[in-house]
Amino acid sequence: MNNDYPILNNNDISSDSKYKPKSIDELCMNPRKLKDVKQILFNDMLIENKYKILVLTGPSGSCKTTMLKLLIKQYYNENKNMFQNFTITNNNNTSPYNENNCIIEYDPLDKSIKFKDFLNNCKIFKKNTSLMKFIVIKHLPNIYYDKIHTEFINCINEWLDDEFNDLLPPLILIISECDIPKSVTEDITRNNTFNKFDINNHYIPETIFNKEILLHPKLKKVNVNKIAKTYLKKQLTKVLKNELQINSKVKLPNVKKYDSLVDKLSEIGDLPSAIIQLQQYIQTPFLLSDHLTNDTNKDTGLSIFHAMGKIIYGTKEENVFNEDIIEKLCKDYQQYTDSIFKMSLLENIDIGCNDLKNFSEIVNNFSETDLMDNTLGTEVYLRKIRQSMDVKGNSNKKAISGLKFTPFFKVYKKRQHSYKEYRDFQSLDGLVTENFKILKDIILWSGYHDPIIKKFYYNKYKAWKEYKLSLGESILNYNGMGSDIDPDITYLNKLGGEYGSITSVNEIELQDNNGYFFNSKYYTYLNKQNNKNKNKSIDIEDNEMPYDPNIDDFEIEESDVDSSSNSNSTDDDDDELFQLTSQQIQKAQQSNISKQTSKKFKKDKEEKKVNLSVSSDSYDSDEELFQLTSQHIQNMNKSKI
Amino acid sequence: MSYLWVDKYRPKTLDDLTHSQEITTKLENLSSASSNINNIPNILIYGPNGAGKKTRVLSLLNKIYCQDSNQIYKLKIDVRQFKVNSKTLELNVISSPYHIEITPSDLGYSNDKIVIQELIKELGSTSHQFTPVNSSNANSNIQSVKFKTIVINEANKLSKAAQHALRRTIEKYSKNIRIIMCCETLSNIIDPIRSRMLNVRLSSPDSSEFKKIIEDVSTKENVALGDVFIQKLDVLCKGNIRLGLLTLENMAVMQNMDLSSNDIRVAKPDWMICIDKICLLALKNKTVETVLTIRGIFYDLLAHCIPAELILQKIVEWILENAELVKLKQEKITNVIYYASVFDERMKLGSKDIFHLEGFITKMILEI
């Protein structure tokens, strides 16, 4: 015992760091969780290569970092021989353990290195070699800034997906979950609420990473609960005794009078915070009892699912009434006024409520409180649910496992997509038909009928074309409709997708705009129009031959190009083509310079043009254009000769 | 070439217009050469969806500016950007040399004021002069038009602030611009606006007029029509010409231009089928599970941008139409409509539509 708590008379050191556990046995931790983490760290990660990343989550002060560091220390001590090389220099230390030698931590304040580079640099600390270090990331880069957030996620993804490198050092991310309360005065408008459930309000894995990362098989997430009351109490009593001994020089101090204080503090569940507060009370004893209020000013990290569970299921504890649950929730889950929370509750009320009448009343209450002041309204519906759930008794409740999260973000995403599609259709249709429709008409009527009708014409034309081609006849003189429909441009499917049903989800799912890409047919059309204006010769060819991926009519196309380019060689076109060719010649020259000596560079123009037509193969993208230009040049050459 | 008969057969001049003749005459008188053309008032035209409000407005403009030479239909679409509180908003502005057309409701409720003011100021501060296209035909009566027209779609969705801004600018720039507003109901338009404009109510075509429109298009496109089809189409469309023609074309191409059979079923837009499904589910099973199923459908309807108010309205309409079929008592119908009105109001005041939709549907299930 004496060794565990060295008496330090230096009061500059706060009790918090003074009493930092020096070995794993002192840790206030559920032994089973400890064993789990140990297993994951040293067996699954190092030996079996099961995971590449461990994410430790939990409320602040629940000993996540301490536990990790102690575990690593123990590991290094046990495997001394492996790492001996590295510990020789540490003469002062009796143990081979030195934090710097086995842990490398990311420091976001160090501006000289980006997170990405940091991770890359860390790759040299290879697993299971004498160089190995554990990478601990406790402080994330500034992910509140979108760009950095995206980069951060990409880095993590890369790390996870690096299939070829099994020797990546173990990476451990520590996340102290917390909710950031928002101001009550914040205006709730329809647009505003969309962004509420995000990293700015909820610092939890779901907002920090995206779903893809969290579900990755190479990533393990371990949640550390807040320190249980009994552990914390034991620890606090120890500290108290020790401190009193120092302060009063009494062998057996009177701990009794601090009992209520220790009791209160141990409810916090946060070790450092509790010790600091304890220290305050000891040093200024008059504060004791009088000023010890309930208000510990601490968010104890009730997550959205915890909070929902509390409301839906209530509690089995004795002497805890609805009143207490509501009160606890109002205090703990500071985001409870969040509309996402309310919508998620809506997904779950059927769990405790099989009677439609009762159900209807709750929903009615939800609807009513939607109009109310946020804080008050929330209290109203929380009480309403609690009350009606209680009346029904415990018999009707289903298994606890199935709490659901609102599909709101799914709906929102789909809505955004449909809206973009409607807008795109509006612009496109307005341009093509010169008949502008308002959005509502498109959503309600045209969005359904228009694509069906066009698809019909298109299919009809396609069938006819295929038939004609199979007979080997020309397909240029089709006089029906549909020949000018381009599936790349025209909307042929129901705008916004077919109707189905959107159901609730089991995990927190957020807006995720990474990799979202909207293909605007309007702009495709505009681009095509622009290209047509630039190259009149292609324009003609295009009208006759709509692009069809199914049919390989390359030969016909080529012969067409011939005729059209010949017939269209007016003066204006010549100028344009000349510009194009001169550009191409420059390109060809550059490639020539890089490839060959300057000898060939000095050859006369005609030779270059020949070069040009040879090198045209390399420019796949502009193949058509190239054929045109090269043919044109040849023509001109002929006329010159 | 236009694929859609709706676009193809849209009347382009006042003379082509088919139904509600008295309103057409009224508009014709306004634009006729005998009166001073620059005395045309601002117009507020309102009436149900698909009755031909826009068609009339464009025909009128066609008459005023180009003497029916269709120049007005040479439209250009620009995406204009407006800066509001460091946010950039985009609005599609459709314009011809003579008029511009905007739908401010696309921007959202709180932003429309700035756009309205900016656009009107821009057009109103310069004077315009348009000489009608055919004036060279020795017709000395034709005057030059000294104003540009702004067409505002969905005017009832303008915020109150925007309407007040509009009211002031109407007076200030009345020399250089005219405003034509289109909307479905007058209920959200503030009184000062109403009193400053010529209110024109355009009703949907009645059954015989609707039938005539459908028949005209069918003859031109060689579609064989049956009475049963027209009747069913009339029931579905309730005078909405756009929906009527779209459905007609859709059905015609699918049925090989033959719609004369007696047991034909009219294709409904898919979201209306969803509404049917919701109502049938509600009637069949009165359990919590039903509500959950319906909620899933609601979410998808909302994801397709179908307005929640419309969903509510269509459900009530369905109940009213099918009340006899499902043997609903009169007082129950009254109750359903009562609930609908309650939740409709809440929906307008609140922020999350799904609560109110669900609230209504549970009440309705319990009631019927």
Side-chain angles (χ1 to χ4, degrees), chain A residues 188-191 193-194 339-340 342-343 346-350 353-357 359-361 363-368 370-371 398 404 406-408 410-412 414-416 418-419 422-423 425-441 443-446 448-450 452-454 456-457 480-485 494-504 522-523, chain B residues 1-8 10 49-50 54 58 73-75 77 79 87 90-92 94 101 103 106-107 153-154 157 184 221 240 242-243 245-247 249-250 253-254 257 267-274 277 286-289 291-293 295-297 299-307 309-310 314 343 345-356 358-360 362-363 365-366:
Chain A
I188 308 280
T189 59
R190 271 163 208 242
N191 282 331
T193 41
F194 288 142
S339 58
I340 298 301
K342 190 173 176 184
M343 294 184 82
L346 178 72
E347 300 296 325
N348 289 305
I349 37 178
D350 60 294
C353 183
N354 277 332
D355 177 42
L356 192 63
K357 205 156 189 169
F359 186 86
S360 155
E361 266 169 38
V363 177
N364 188 23
N365 203 285
F366 269 49
S367 151
E368 259 174 333
D370 191 38
L371 321 179
K398 294 174 194 166
K404 293 182 209 109
T406 175
F408 177 76
K410 224 155 95 185
V411 174
Y412 178 64
K414 199 170 170 189
R415 194 184 165 97
Q416 289 287 339
S418 332
Y419 185 72
Y422 292 133
R423 282 295 285 267
F425 178 85
Q426 187 187 33
S427 313
L428 180 70
D429 192 61
L431 208 66
V432 174
T433 63
E434 296 190 333
N435 206 334
F436 202 77
K437 301 177 179 71
I438 61 173
L439 213 54
K440 193 181 164 192
D441 287 333
I443 292 173
L444 296 184
W445 320 118
S446 300
Y448 170 71
H449 285 295
D450 196 306
I452 292 183
I453 293 166
K454 284 190 178 147
F456 171 81
Y457 284 124
M481 286 158 86
S483 55
D484 58 341
I485 290 178
K494 160 96 187 82
L495 296 183
E498 296 295 329
Y499 279 95
S501 140
I502 296 180
T503 51
S504 44
Y522 173 59
Y523 287 114
Chain B
M1 180 167 54
S2 178
Y3 284 97
L4 295 165
W5 299 346
V6 181
D7 300 335
K8 204 168 161 188
R10 187 172 188 175
N49 190 353
K54 269 284 283 303
L58 285 177
Y73 296 103
K74 296 265 175 290
L75 293 175
I77 301 170
V79 180
K87 250 195 317 188
E90 287 190 347
L91 180 70
N92 281 332
I94 303 102
E101 188 183 327
T103 315
D106 289 356
L107 285 172
N153 290 322
E154 297 195 19
K157 292 206 179 136
E184 282 187 37
E221 290 287 337
N240 185 339
R242 172 179 287 111
L243 177 60
L245 289 179
L246 277 169
T247 317
E249 184 172 7
N250 189 354
V253 295
M254 290 300 159
M257 299 294 168
K268 268 187 191 181
D270 40 8
W271 63 272
M272 287 174 96
I273 294 173
C274 284
K277 210 155 90 187
K286 306 195 173 194
T287 59
V288 176
E289 276 70 35
V291 181
L292 298 187
T293 323
R295 186 193 296 158
I297 304 174
Y299 270 134
D300 207 30
L301 282 171
L302 292 176
H304 279 83
C305 303
I306 307 282
E309 287 91 353
L310 191 74
K314 287 288 167 189
F343 284 97
E345 174 168 26
R346 285 185 194 169
M347 206 153 12
K348 289 206 169 74
L349 295 172
S351 59
K352 290 276 170 290
D353 295 336
I354 189 71
F355 295 138
H356 312 295
E358 181 132 342
F360 170 71
T362 47
K363 287 280 184 209
I365 291 175
L366 282 173

Side-chain angles (χ1 to χ4, degrees), chain A residues 26-57:
Chain A
E26 294 167 29
L27 211 58
C28 302
M29 198 85 183
N30 187 339
R32 250 178 66 197
K33 178 123 291 167
L34 199 65
K35 214 179 132 196
D36 278 355
V37 176
K38 204 171 162 184
Q39 165 83 14
I40 292 163
L41 261 181
F42 305 127
N43 196 35
D44 294 352
M45 281 183 103
L46 290 185
I47 299 167
E48 293 186 18
N49 289 330
K50 243 185 185 164
Y51 309 116
K52 282 181 178 167
I53 295 181
L54 170 70
V55 178
L56 274 179
T57 63

Side-chain angles (χ1 to χ4, degrees), chain A residues 231-476:
Chain A
Y231 285 110
L232 191 54
K233 199 171 171 180
K234 220 166 97 190
Q235 202 72 17
L236 282 179
T237 323
K238 258 191 206 170
V239 173
L240 185 68
K241 266 186 193 160
N242 217 312
E243 280 290 317
L244 288 176
Q245 264 176 358
I246 302 162
N247 277 359
S248 54
K249 315 264 192 246
V250 183
K251 272 268 152 103
L252 274 171
N254 181 12
V255 195
K256 272 275 184 307
K257 71 171 183 177
Y258 293 103
D259 255 7
S260 66
L261 174 70
V262 171
D263 241 24
K264 279 257 158 65
L265 286 178
S266 49
E267 267 175 26
I268 301 175
D270 180 341
L271 186 65
S273 167
I275 292 182
I276 287 171
Q277 288 191 40
L278 184 68
Q279 193 185 22
Q280 286 304 311
Y281 287 120
I282 295 169
Q283 280 168 359
T284 47
F286 57 87
L287 277 177
L288 207 61
S289 70
D290 291 348
H291 294 267
L292 191 66
T293 54
N294 227 345
D295 180 25
T296 44
N297 194 23
K298 171 80 183 151
D299 163 23
T300 39
L302 210 56
S303 77
I304 183 167
F305 280 108
H306 273 121
M308 279 195 311
K310 282 252 168 10
I311 282 294
I312 302 280
Y313 295 108
T315 176
K316 287 200 177 77
E317 279 175 58
E318 289 289 315
N319 298 326
V320 180
F321 302 106
N322 288 339
E323 201 63 29
D324 302 326
I325 295 176
I326 308 274
E327 208 170 278
K328 189 169 163 49
L329 215 82
C330 295
K331 188 168 84 63
D332 282 358
Y333 187 67
Q334 301 200 9
Q335 293 289 311
Y336 78 117
T337 51
D338 199 308
S339 58
I340 298 301
F341 177 56
K342 190 173 176 184
M343 294 184 82
S344 295
L345 269 179
L346 178 72
E347 300 296 325
N348 289 305
I349 37 178
D350 60 294
I351 291 173
C353 183
N354 277 332
D355 177 42
L356 192 63
K357 205 156 189 169
N358 215 332
F359 186 86
S360 155
E361 266 169 38
I362 297 175
V363 177
N364 188 23
N365 203 285
F366 269 49
S367 151
E368 259 174 333
T369 50
D370 191 38
L371 321 179
M372 288 178 160
D373 165 59
N374 229 5
T375 327
L376 202 64
T378 313
E379 186 128 0
V380 172
Y381 76 75
L382 288 185
R383 278 170 197 282
K384 175 76 192 168
I385 300 174
R386 216 37 256 138
Q387 204 185 11
S388 23
M389 296 283 173
D390 248 22
V391 171
K392 285 312 292 173
N394 294 325
S395 57
N396 274 338
K397 289 181 186 166
K398 294 174 194 166
I400 286 188
S401 59
L403 278 179
K404 293 182 209 109
F405 187 68
T406 175
F408 177 76
F409 290 101
K410 224 155 95 185
V411 174
Y412 178 64
K413 205 168 155 187
K414 199 170 170 189
R415 194 184 165 97
Q416 289 287 339
H417 180 78
S418 332
Y419 185 72
K420 274 188 184 151
E421 224 167 73
Y422 292 133
R423 282 295 285 267
D424 197 43
F425 178 85
Q426 187 187 33
S427 313
L428 180 70
D429 192 61
L431 208 66
V432 174
T433 63
E434 296 190 333
N435 206 334
F436 202 77
K437 301 177 179 71
I438 61 173
L439 213 54
K440 193 181 164 192
D441 287 333
I442 292 173
I443 292 173
L444 296 184
W445 320 118
S446 300
Y448 170 71
H449 285 295
D450 196 306
I452 292 183
I453 293 166
K454 284 190 178 147
K455 195 171 188 173
F456 171 81
Y457 284 124
Y458 177 65
N459 285 339
K460 203 171 155 191
Y461 169 70
K462 230 164 64 177
W464 177 85
K465 191 171 161 186
E466 218 137 308
Y467 168 73
K468 281 283 182 186
L469 280 176
S470 70
L471 290 182
E473 290 176 23
S474 161
I475 55 163
L476 294 176

